[in-house]
Amino acid sequence: MEGAALETVQGWLREARHIAVLTGAGISAESGVPTFRDAQTGYWAQFRAEDMATEEGFRAHPARVWGWYQHRRQMLADVQPNAGHRALADCAQKHPGRITLITQNVDGLHQRAGSAEVLCLHGDLMEDRFLDLPRPCCHPDTVKAGSPPHCPRCGNLLRPGVVWFGEPLPWAVLEAAQQAARGCDLMLVVGTAGAVYPAAGLAHSARAAGARVVVVNTAPSELDYVAHAVLRGRAAQVLPALFGADSLR
Ligand code: APR
Protein backbone atom coordinates (compact mmCIF):
# COMPACT_ATOMS: atom_id res chain seq x y z
CA MET A 1 0.00 0.00 0.00
CA GLU A 2 1.54 3.29 -1.07
CA GLY A 3 1.42 6.21 1.35
CA ALA A 4 0.63 8.78 -1.34
CA ALA A 5 -2.39 6.82 -2.59
CA LEU A 6 -3.59 6.37 0.98
CA GLU A 7 -3.36 10.10 1.65
CA THR A 8 -5.19 10.90 -1.57
CA VAL A 9 -8.04 8.58 -0.62
CA GLN A 10 -8.12 10.03 2.91
CA GLY A 11 -8.59 13.45 1.31
CA TRP A 12 -11.47 12.09 -0.79
CA LEU A 13 -13.05 10.56 2.31
CA ARG A 14 -12.90 13.91 4.12
CA GLU A 15 -14.61 15.61 1.18
CA ALA A 16 -17.31 12.97 0.79
CA ARG A 17 -20.63 13.76 2.43
CA HIS A 18 -21.91 10.27 1.82
CA ILE A 19 -19.77 7.15 1.59
CA ALA A 20 -21.00 3.74 0.44
CA VAL A 21 -18.91 0.70 1.32
CA LEU A 22 -19.36 -2.59 -0.54
CA THR A 23 -17.62 -5.53 1.09
CA GLY A 24 -16.97 -9.12 0.06
CA ALA A 25 -15.40 -12.24 1.46
CA GLY A 26 -11.89 -10.71 1.52
CA ILE A 27 -12.75 -8.51 4.51
CA SER A 28 -13.42 -11.61 6.59
CA ALA A 29 -10.37 -13.52 5.32
CA GLU A 30 -8.20 -12.30 8.17
CA SER A 31 -10.80 -13.49 10.66
CA GLY A 32 -10.19 -16.97 9.28
CA VAL A 33 -13.30 -17.23 7.07
CA PRO A 34 -12.44 -18.72 3.66
CA THR A 35 -13.18 -16.65 0.57
CA PHE A 36 -14.86 -18.16 -2.50
CA ARG A 37 -12.57 -17.50 -5.44
CA ASP A 38 -9.05 -17.35 -4.00
CA ALA A 39 -6.96 -20.06 -5.62
CA GLN A 40 -6.51 -23.10 -3.34
CA THR A 41 -8.05 -21.59 -0.19
CA GLY A 42 -11.37 -20.41 -1.69
CA TYR A 43 -14.50 -22.55 -1.34
CA TRP A 44 -14.94 -22.71 -5.11
CA ALA A 45 -11.51 -24.31 -5.44
CA GLN A 46 -12.87 -27.24 -3.41
CA PHE A 47 -16.55 -27.36 -4.35
CA ARG A 48 -18.64 -26.56 -7.39
CA ALA A 49 -20.87 -23.54 -6.84
CA GLU A 50 -23.56 -25.33 -8.90
CA ASP A 51 -23.59 -28.13 -6.31
CA MET A 52 -23.41 -26.09 -3.11
CA ALA A 53 -25.00 -22.75 -3.94
CA THR A 54 -28.02 -23.41 -6.16
CA GLU A 55 -31.53 -24.66 -5.51
CA GLU A 56 -30.92 -27.50 -7.99
CA GLY A 57 -27.81 -28.58 -6.07
CA PHE A 58 -29.73 -28.57 -2.79
CA ARG A 59 -32.66 -30.56 -4.20
CA ALA A 60 -30.27 -33.10 -5.71
CA HIS A 61 -28.19 -33.62 -2.53
CA PRO A 62 -29.93 -31.95 0.42
CA ALA A 63 -27.93 -33.73 3.13
CA ARG A 64 -24.58 -32.89 1.56
CA VAL A 65 -25.43 -29.22 1.02
CA TRP A 66 -27.05 -28.84 4.46
CA GLY A 67 -23.96 -30.43 6.03
CA TRP A 68 -21.69 -27.92 4.32
CA TYR A 69 -23.74 -24.98 5.59
CA GLN A 70 -23.80 -26.49 9.08
CA HIS A 71 -20.01 -26.75 8.93
CA ARG A 72 -19.77 -23.08 7.92
CA ARG A 73 -22.14 -22.10 10.73
CA GLN A 74 -20.06 -23.96 13.29
CA MET A 75 -16.91 -22.34 11.99
CA LEU A 76 -18.40 -18.89 12.55
CA ALA A 77 -18.73 -19.62 16.26
CA ASP A 78 -14.92 -19.74 16.47
CA VAL A 79 -14.05 -16.57 14.57
CA GLN A 80 -14.06 -12.92 15.53
CA PRO A 81 -14.48 -9.66 13.59
CA ASN A 82 -11.12 -8.15 12.64
CA ALA A 83 -9.66 -4.65 12.54
CA GLY A 84 -11.21 -4.04 9.12
CA HIS A 85 -14.75 -4.74 10.33
CA ARG A 86 -14.09 -2.66 13.45
CA ALA A 87 -12.69 0.33 11.54
CA LEU A 88 -15.92 0.56 9.51
CA ALA A 89 -18.13 0.14 12.57
CA ASP A 90 -16.21 2.73 14.62
CA CYS A 91 -16.27 5.25 11.80
CA ALA A 92 -20.02 4.81 11.25
CA GLN A 93 -20.63 5.29 14.98
CA LYS A 94 -18.60 8.51 15.02
CA HIS A 95 -20.30 9.85 11.89
CA PRO A 96 -23.94 8.77 11.96
CA GLY A 97 -25.64 8.82 8.57
CA ARG A 98 -22.41 9.32 6.62
CA ILE A 99 -21.66 5.69 5.75
CA THR A 100 -23.90 3.05 4.18
CA LEU A 101 -22.46 -0.43 4.59
CA ILE A 102 -23.43 -2.95 1.94
CA THR A 103 -22.12 -6.50 2.14
CA GLN A 104 -22.20 -9.67 0.10
CA ASN A 105 -21.08 -11.57 3.19
CA VAL A 106 -23.44 -13.82 5.11
CA ASP A 107 -21.15 -14.26 8.12
CA GLY A 108 -22.57 -11.53 10.38
CA LEU A 109 -19.09 -10.23 11.27
CA HIS A 110 -19.90 -6.60 10.41
CA GLN A 111 -22.83 -6.73 12.82
CA ARG A 112 -20.72 -8.42 15.50
CA ALA A 113 -18.14 -5.62 15.11
CA GLY A 114 -20.88 -3.10 15.94
CA SER A 115 -22.14 -2.01 12.53
CA ALA A 116 -25.86 -1.35 12.61
CA GLU A 117 -28.13 -1.39 9.57
CA VAL A 118 -25.91 -3.48 7.33
CA LEU A 119 -27.44 -4.06 3.90
CA CYS A 120 -26.93 -7.81 3.50
CA LEU A 121 -27.35 -8.50 -0.21
CA HIS A 122 -26.90 -12.26 0.03
CA GLY A 123 -28.84 -13.05 3.20
CA ASP A 124 -27.72 -14.48 6.53
CA LEU A 125 -25.93 -17.80 7.01
CA MET A 126 -27.43 -18.25 10.48
CA GLU A 127 -31.05 -18.04 9.30
CA ASP A 128 -33.22 -20.88 8.03
CA ARG A 129 -36.28 -20.84 5.83
CA PHE A 130 -38.44 -23.43 4.13
CA LEU A 131 -37.39 -24.55 0.67
CA ASP A 132 -40.92 -24.65 -0.73
CA LEU A 133 -43.75 -22.25 -0.02
CA PRO A 134 -44.71 -23.04 3.61
CA ARG A 135 -48.08 -24.74 4.04
CA PRO A 136 -50.11 -24.27 7.26
CA CYS A 137 -48.41 -27.38 8.70
CA CYS A 138 -44.91 -25.94 8.17
CA HIS A 139 -43.74 -24.27 11.33
CA PRO A 140 -40.13 -23.59 12.30
CA ASP A 141 -40.87 -24.69 15.91
CA THR A 142 -42.19 -28.10 14.96
CA VAL A 143 -39.62 -29.15 12.35
CA LYS A 144 -38.28 -32.65 12.73
CA ALA A 145 -34.54 -32.83 13.34
CA GLY A 146 -32.56 -34.18 10.46
CA SER A 147 -30.11 -33.25 7.80
CA PRO A 148 -31.81 -31.09 6.74
CA PRO A 149 -34.60 -30.64 9.30
CA HIS A 150 -38.06 -30.82 7.70
CA CYS A 151 -41.78 -30.46 8.35
CA PRO A 152 -42.94 -33.75 9.92
CA ARG A 153 -46.26 -33.61 8.03
CA CYS A 154 -45.40 -32.60 4.47
CA GLY A 155 -41.62 -33.05 4.34
CA ASN A 156 -40.86 -29.44 3.33
CA LEU A 157 -37.12 -29.01 3.92
CA LEU A 158 -35.40 -26.23 5.80
CA ARG A 159 -32.66 -24.49 3.81
CA PRO A 160 -30.16 -21.80 4.76
CA GLY A 161 -31.37 -18.21 4.44
CA VAL A 162 -28.71 -17.21 1.93
CA VAL A 163 -29.14 -16.13 -1.68
CA TRP A 164 -28.07 -18.87 -4.09
CA PHE A 165 -27.03 -18.41 -7.70
CA GLY A 166 -30.05 -17.80 -9.90
CA GLU A 167 -32.13 -16.41 -7.02
CA PRO A 168 -33.30 -12.83 -6.65
CA LEU A 169 -31.68 -10.65 -4.01
CA PRO A 170 -33.96 -9.33 -1.23
CA TRP A 171 -35.72 -6.56 -3.11
CA ALA A 172 -35.80 -3.83 -0.44
CA VAL A 173 -32.14 -4.42 0.47
CA LEU A 174 -31.00 -4.20 -3.14
CA GLU A 175 -33.11 -1.09 -3.67
CA ALA A 176 -31.53 0.60 -0.63
CA ALA A 177 -28.06 -0.42 -1.82
CA GLN A 178 -28.70 0.96 -5.29
CA GLN A 179 -29.92 4.24 -3.81
CA ALA A 180 -26.77 4.47 -1.69
CA ALA A 181 -24.59 3.70 -4.73
CA ARG A 182 -26.31 6.33 -6.84
CA GLY A 183 -26.30 8.90 -4.05
CA CYS A 184 -22.79 8.56 -2.63
CA ASP A 185 -19.78 10.76 -3.29
CA LEU A 186 -17.34 7.92 -2.72
CA MET A 187 -17.68 4.15 -2.86
CA LEU A 188 -15.13 1.88 -1.19
CA VAL A 189 -15.12 -1.62 -2.67
CA VAL A 190 -13.39 -3.92 -0.19
CA GLY A 191 -12.31 -7.55 -0.56
CA THR A 192 -14.51 -8.62 -3.42
CA ALA A 193 -13.52 -10.24 -6.70
CA GLY A 194 -16.33 -8.21 -8.29
CA ALA A 195 -17.46 -11.25 -10.25
CA VAL A 196 -21.06 -11.54 -9.00
CA TYR A 197 -23.91 -9.32 -10.14
CA PRO A 198 -25.99 -7.40 -9.24
CA ALA A 199 -23.65 -6.69 -6.29
CA ALA A 200 -20.68 -5.73 -8.48
CA GLY A 201 -22.96 -3.50 -10.53
CA LEU A 202 -23.22 -1.16 -7.55
CA ALA A 203 -19.65 0.03 -8.20
CA HIS A 204 -20.56 0.77 -11.82
CA SER A 205 -23.69 2.64 -10.68
CA ALA A 206 -21.68 4.74 -8.23
CA ARG A 207 -19.12 5.63 -10.88
CA ALA A 208 -21.79 6.41 -13.46
CA ALA A 209 -23.52 8.71 -10.96
CA GLY A 210 -20.31 10.68 -10.48
CA ALA A 211 -18.87 9.15 -7.29
CA ARG A 212 -15.22 8.35 -6.78
CA VAL A 213 -14.63 4.61 -6.55
CA VAL A 214 -11.79 3.09 -4.53
CA VAL A 215 -10.93 -0.61 -4.50
CA VAL A 216 -9.19 -2.22 -1.51
CA ASN A 217 -7.94 -5.69 -2.37
CA THR A 218 -4.86 -7.85 -1.99
CA ALA A 219 -5.04 -8.89 -5.66
CA PRO A 220 -6.44 -7.60 -8.96
CA SER A 221 -10.24 -7.63 -9.08
CA GLU A 222 -12.79 -7.30 -11.87
CA LEU A 223 -13.68 -3.86 -10.54
CA ASP A 224 -10.19 -2.35 -10.65
CA TYR A 225 -10.92 -0.73 -14.01
CA VAL A 226 -13.98 1.02 -12.56
CA ALA A 227 -11.92 2.54 -9.73
CA HIS A 228 -10.25 5.94 -9.51
CA ALA A 229 -7.75 4.40 -7.07
CA VAL A 230 -6.77 0.89 -6.07
CA LEU A 231 -5.26 0.31 -2.63
CA ARG A 232 -3.40 -2.96 -2.81
CA GLY A 233 -3.36 -4.49 0.66
CA ARG A 234 -5.20 -6.41 3.32
CA ALA A 235 -8.50 -4.99 4.49
CA ALA A 236 -7.57 -5.42 8.14
CA GLN A 237 -4.59 -3.13 7.58
CA VAL A 238 -5.84 -0.71 4.93
CA LEU A 239 -9.18 0.18 6.56
CA PRO A 240 -7.73 1.12 9.98
CA ALA A 241 -5.07 3.14 8.16
CA LEU A 242 -7.71 4.88 6.05
CA PHE A 243 -10.10 5.65 8.88
CA GLY A 244 -7.52 6.00 11.65
CA ALA A 245 -7.00 9.37 13.33
CA ASP A 246 -10.59 10.06 12.33
CA SER A 247 -9.81 11.00 8.76
CA LEU A 248 -13.45 11.87 8.03
CA ARG A 249 -13.34 14.98 10.15
N1 APR B 1 -8.05 -8.08 2.19
C1 APR B 1 -8.61 -7.60 1.05
N2 APR B 1 -8.98 -8.37 0.03
C2 APR B 1 -8.76 -9.70 0.15
C3 APR B 1 -8.19 -10.28 1.29
C4 APR B 1 -7.80 -9.41 2.34
N3 APR B 1 -7.23 -9.86 3.47
N4 APR B 1 -8.10 -11.62 1.11
C5 APR B 1 -8.63 -11.87 -0.09
N5 APR B 1 -9.04 -10.72 -0.68
C6 APR B 1 -9.74 -10.52 -1.95
C7 APR B 1 -9.37 -11.49 -3.05
O1 APR B 1 -8.26 -11.02 -3.79
C8 APR B 1 -10.65 -11.52 -3.89
O2 APR B 1 -10.64 -10.51 -4.87
O3 APR B 1 -11.10 -10.75 -1.68
C9 APR B 1 -11.75 -11.17 -2.87
C10 APR B 1 -12.67 -12.34 -2.53
O4 APR B 1 -13.40 -12.67 -3.67
P1 APR B 1 -14.48 -13.84 -3.65
O5 APR B 1 -13.92 -15.02 -2.97
O6 APR B 1 -14.97 -14.00 -5.04
O7 APR B 1 -15.64 -13.26 -2.70
P2 APR B 1 -16.80 -12.26 -3.07
O8 APR B 1 -16.38 -11.29 -4.11
O9 APR B 1 -17.33 -11.74 -1.80
O10 APR B 1 -17.87 -13.24 -3.72
C11 APR B 1 -19.12 -12.75 -4.08
O11 APR B 1 -19.84 -14.93 -4.65
O12 APR B 1 -20.03 -17.23 -4.30
C12 APR B 1 -20.62 -16.00 -4.13
O13 APR B 1 -22.36 -15.56 -2.69
C13 APR B 1 -20.96 -15.66 -2.70
O14 APR B 1 -21.16 -13.47 -1.70
C14 APR B 1 -20.33 -14.31 -2.48
C15 APR B 1 -20.16 -13.80 -3.90
Side-chain angles (χ1 to χ4, degrees):
M1 184 180 34
E2 288 172 30
L6 189 80
E7 278 172 29
T8 301
V9 176
Q10 282 175 327
W12 293 349
L13 283 169
R14 264 194 302 277
E15 283 167 27
R17 273 166 305 135
H18 190 231
I19 298 161
V21 183
L22 171 67
T23 67
I27 194 171
S28 296
E30 284 154 276
S31 293
V33 182
T35 62
F36 295 94
R37 290 175 187 76
D38 281 285
Q40 280 140 30
T41 56
Y43 280 129
W44 300 152
Q46 268 179 283
F47 302 103
R48 285 168 14 118
E50 304 89 291
D51 293 337
M52 296 304 197
T54 64
E55 184 184 322
E56 295 72 30
F58 183 69
R59 285 190 190 276
H61 297 286
R64 180 174 74 181
V65 177
W66 180 260
W68 185 58
Y69 284 90
Q70 288 296 89
H71 160 76
R72 289 175 58 194
R73 288 170 171 181
Q74 282 154 12
M75 188 223 7
L76 282 186
D78 298 327
V79 303
Q80 298 300 327
N82 64 51
H85 299 107
R86 284 196 298 274
L88 291 173
D90 292 350
C91 187
Q93 273 164 18
K94 278 189 207 142
H95 303 277
R98 191 123 169 244
I99 295 185
T100 302
L101 180 52
I102 307 161
T103 191
Q104 298 165 88
N105 298 346
V106 294
D107 57 27
L109 290 178
H110 281 303
Q111 295 88 330
R112 282 167 57 189
S115 283
E117 295 174 45
V118 185
L119 296 173
C120 296
L121 295 172
H122 294 167
D124 181 344
L125 181 59
M126 300 311 284
E127 275 177 12
D128 288 329
R129 61 185 167 86
F130 281 105
L131 176 63
D132 293 312
L133 200 64
R135 301 182 183 89
C137 57
C138 300
H139 199 277
D141 295 342
T142 58
V143 286
K144 193 156 179 269
S147 184
H150 50 274
C151 172
R153 288 201 58 178
C154 72
N156 198 354
L157 303 177
L158 279 191
R159 56 159 283 180
V162 301
V163 176
W164 282 330
F165 287 103
E167 295 182 330
L169 273 57
W171 182 84
V173 177
L174 180 60
E175 181 63 24
Q178 279 166 342
Q179 268 187 28
R182 287 192 293 259
C184 70
D185 306 295
L186 186 144
M187 175 176 274
L188 266 186
V189 180
V190 184
T192 177
V196 173
Y197 285 75
L202 295 168
H204 296 271
S205 301
R207 170 105 199 199
R212 284 174 172 138
V213 176
V214 177
V215 162
V216 177
N217 201 308
T218 46
S221 83
E222 293 186 25
L223 291 173
D224 289 4
Y225 81 97
V226 183
H228 296 84
V230 176
L231 299 176
R232 201 54 83 214
R234 291 188 276 149
Q237 288 184 336
V238 178
L239 294 179
L242 264 186
F243 291 107
D246 202 7
S247 49
L248 290 206
R249 205 175 289 281

